[in-house]
Amino acid sequence: MNLIGFLSAAVLLTLMPGPDILFVITQSMTRGKRAGIVFAAGLCSGLIFHTLAVSLGVSLILYESPIAFMVLKVLGASYLIYLSVRTFLRRKDSVFVLSADKEAESRLYRKGVLMNILNPKVLLFFIAFFPQFVSPDADNPTGELLLLGALFILQAGVIFSLVAMLAGHLFRGLMRRRRFSLVMSVVESLIYFVIGISLMFVNNLH
């Protein structure tokens, strides 16, 4: 396996503007760096599901089934639209600083997990990206896919955490201003909505 090439590509792809890193930045801006890190941990936990799915061939089954793929798209889009409406209705709440309550952290963590698992774009990415770095003559391709998945999750966790800390630090003062906080809540709601709608147009190329 070309591990250096894989890690280089993985880091660049993780840093590219996309839903995951955008969500991490948004959570960090509106609720502080701790929230961004907790949310990032949820996203990376969701990647464990995708790693196992692509390694065991489950992802390919979902990809090959138009009905299963459509169900995944609808679930993913519906969940994001639900978050959009919920965030908009709570836009006047004071959102900065994640509650010390463990249940608040658990909810944010679960949100990250679900958003990743229900995202068909992640499924397509894993199917297209990972096999390129598996040795053609590998005796144990499943083992290699699991290793690549573990490396991808590790680098994503590090990058997301660094981004969360940076965003939380830069916007800490601004989020204490009521008007800016309100605007960011609306922006967060729009991000959920736009990405949710975009999931409905994801094509499995069949």
Side-chain angles (χ1 to χ4, degrees):
M1 289 187 296
N2 182 6
L3 293 181
I4 295 178
F6 173 80
L7 278 174
S8 300
V11 169
L12 289 175
L13 288 168
T14 302
L15 286 171
M16 287 177 62
D20 285 353
I21 200 165
L22 190 57
F23 288 139
V24 170
I25 292 172
T26 302
Q27 293 298 326
S28 303
M29 289 172 59
T30 57
R31 294 174 178 82
K33 64 181 181 182
R34 181 181 178 84
I37 293 173
V38 170
F39 184 74
L43 289 175
C44 290
S45 296
L47 290 176
I48 295 176
F49 167 83
H50 286 290
T51 297
L52 292 174
V54 74
S55 300
L56 299 175
V58 177
S59 292
L60 194 58
I61 294 174
L62 290 174
Y63 176 76
E64 294 288 346
S65 171
I67 295 177
F69 194 79
M70 176 58 71
V71 169
L72 182 64
K73 286 200 301 184
V74 171
L75 288 175
S78 299
Y79 183 62
L80 286 175
I81 292 172
Y82 158 74
L83 291 178
S84 172
V85 173
R86 186 168 178 267
T87 302
F88 183 77
L89 293 177
R90 296 185 176 185
R91 65 191 182 280
K92 294 183 180 180
D93 296 345
S94 179
V95 295
F96 190 75
V97 181
L98 180 65
S99 170
D101 182 6
K102 291 298 182 182
E103 181 57 31
E105 292 186 359
S106 296
R107 287 196 299 270
L108 190 57
Y109 173 79
R110 290 195 298 269
K111 181 164 73 172
V113 173
L114 284 174
M115 286 174 61
N116 204 303
I117 289 177
L118 297 177
N119 189 345
K121 291 182 179 180
V122 179
L123 180 145
L124 293 178
F125 168 74
F126 270 54
I127 291 175
F129 182 63
F130 277 47
Q132 298 181 50
F133 295 91
V134 174
S135 303
D137 55 348
D139 295 327
N140 184 18
T142 299
E144 291 195 6
L145 286 170
L146 288 172
L147 174 59
L148 293 175
L151 291 174
F152 189 88
I153 293 169
L154 179 61
Q155 64 83 30
V158 171
I159 290 175
F160 287 160
S161 296
L162 291 175
V163 168
M165 288 188 286
L166 179 61
H169 176 72
L170 291 177
F171 288 87
R172 184 177 183 83
L174 287 173
M175 282 304 298
R176 296 193 183 280
R177 299 179 182 180
R178 187 65 181 172
R179 181 174 296 181
F180 186 81
S181 177
L182 180 61
V183 170
M184 284 308 304
S185 294
V186 175
V187 169
E188 181 182 1
S189 175
L190 287 174
I191 289 173
Y192 286 139
F193 182 79
V194 171
I195 295 179
I197 293 297
S198 72
L199 292 187
M200 293 304 300
F201 296 94
V202 174
N203 196 327
N204 66 352
L205 304 180
H206 281 190

